[in-house]
Amino acid sequence: VTGQPSDTVVRAWARLQRAQQATLTEVDRALKAEQLPSLDWYDVLLELERSGEAGLRPFELERELLLAQSNLSRLIDRMAAAGYVARAACDEDGRGRRLSLTEAGAQMRRRMWPVYARSIQAAVGDKLEAAEAETLAELLGKLISRP
Amino acid sequence: VTGQPSDTVVRAWARLQRAQQATLTEVDRALKAEQLPSLDWYDVLLELERSGEAGLRPFELERELLLAQSNLSRLIDRMAAAGYVARAACDEDGRGRRLSLTEAGAQMRRRMWPVYARSIQAAVGDKLEAAEAETLAELLGKLISRP
DNA sequence: TAAGATTGAATCGTCAATCTTA
DNA sequence: TAAGATTGACGATTCAATCTTA
């Protein structure tokens, strides 16, 4: 059992929630203003692009993006309907599927990045010195590590 | 117009999203395991408790919690139905409402806090030194400040 | 029996429209 | 005309149940 959190820890927690909410809202707003898909879609497109020719299994994407099974299944439904993702049967496991990026999907990701990048810079880069951003990334890394 | 974000800034952004998601998921899970309401409810209960006898107007709560108008309206619907929040007409502005905490709402907040506190400690306190938590809170504060 | 994936039903969030009063 | 608040319609998420193959 762990002890009670200090005031400082509670403050760090509260600000983590608030800072994420504020920055995400800003990025979402910018993408929407340009008639582009949401960040969820970008995350999927990027992971599939990184996976290259082999593609990814849905369960791999779930773990990478911390999404629930049914949530991802329906997200892929929508992205496949939009023509950005292809679903194929899986050779090595008959239960599974293999997801891959379409050319239209790759194009959309490239189209989204400049807008996304500007938002990140406005929400984070413009508010911190380089050394501060480095420290922030390091401290947040400690919160992510699996114990 | 702002420039392109550095790799460090992009990494800080990505980890901010991931760390928030991971810690929030953990806290939500703990509350649910104890059959308690979600964090949204806690936030509302706490703000109303802090506002004391006077209570709060819905638009004040929206700004405090960064919630959309219709979103808050329906959240209050549910919390009022559960008996935790009271909605009354507003004396000084006929358009508005005045929200206040019921005794049951105050009790529920007190019941939630120990579970919430343990989760915060596990998700943040146990992973950082005291000085690190202080630094993290300070850096996150810079992201929240209104420009 | 369990893992990977999908689906139905219900809940919640979002957008635009609406209502009331300032 | 605009601010505060609510509502209808629609889209997204969640939970549990289901289907298929390991």
Side-chain angles (χ1 to χ4, degrees), chain A residues 40 68-71 74 78 92-95:
Chain A
D40 295 341
Q69 225 174 21
S70 61
N71 194 352
R74 291 193 154 119
R78 282 170 250 142
E92 76 269 22
D93 189 331
R95 298 170 300 184

Side-chain angles (χ1 to χ4, degrees), chain A residues 1-142:
Chain A
V1 297
T2 64
Q4 288 293 107
S6 67
D7 286 357
T8 298
V9 165
V10 174
R11 187 147 39 87
W13 156 267
R15 287 187 181 179
L16 173 61
Q17 304 305 121
R18 199 54 60 91
Q20 187 274 346
Q21 189 180 6
T23 56
L24 179 61
T25 298
E26 169 56 22
V27 171
D28 273 343
R29 193 204 54 71
L31 288 171
K32 190 155 299 181
E34 302 278 348
Q35 317 260 46
L36 293 169
S38 74
L39 259 192
D40 295 341
W41 289 42
Y42 185 90
D43 289 339
V44 170
L45 294 174
L46 181 60
E47 290 300 327
L48 288 179
E49 187 159 308
R50 283 179 173 157
S51 73
E53 198 64 27
L56 284 176
R57 300 283 299 276
F59 77 92
E60 295 175 305
L61 254 183
E62 286 159 26
R63 285 167 198 176
E64 199 62 45
L65 303 179
L66 305 182
L67 289 175
Q69 225 174 21
S70 61
N71 194 352
L72 177 68
S73 186
R74 291 193 154 119
L75 177 56
I76 298 299
D77 281 348
R78 282 170 250 142
M79 295 183 68
Y84 298 151
V85 170
R87 255 198 274 231
C90 178
D91 291 339
E92 76 269 22
D93 189 331
R95 298 170 300 184
R97 302 271 213 153
R98 193 152 283 284
L99 308 176
S100 60
L101 196 63
T102 65
E103 183 49 41
Q107 277 184 24
M108 177 52 80
R109 194 202 70 73
R110 286 195 293 271
R111 205 148 81 73
M112 292 174 77
W113 173 242
V115 177
Y116 189 11
R118 270 196 300 277
S119 301
I120 291 175
Q121 178 62 18
V124 179
D126 289 348
K127 302 195 174 180
L128 298 177
E129 302 298 325
E132 290 176 327
E134 184 67 44
T135 302
L136 178 60
E138 196 166 333
L139 292 175
L140 290 171
K142 298 192 177 195

Side-chain angles (χ1 to χ4, degrees), chain B residues 6-51:
Chain B
S6 66
D7 286 357
T8 298
V9 165
V10 174
R11 187 148 37 89
W13 156 266
R15 288 187 179 178
L16 173 60
Q17 305 305 121
R18 199 54 59 92
Q20 187 273 346
Q21 190 180 4
T23 56
L24 179 61
T25 298
E26 169 57 22
V27 171
D28 274 342
R29 192 204 54 71
L31 289 170
K32 191 155 298 181
E34 301 278 349
Q35 315 260 45
L36 293 169
S38 73
L39 259 192
D40 295 341
W41 289 42
Y42 186 90
D43 289 339
V44 170
L45 294 175
L46 181 60
E47 290 300 328
L48 288 180
E49 187 158 308
R50 282 178 172 158
S51 73

Side-chain angles (χ1 to χ4, degrees), chain B residues 70-71 74 78 93-95:
Chain B
S70 61
N71 193 351
R74 292 198 152 115
R78 282 170 251 140
D93 188 333
R95 298 169 300 184

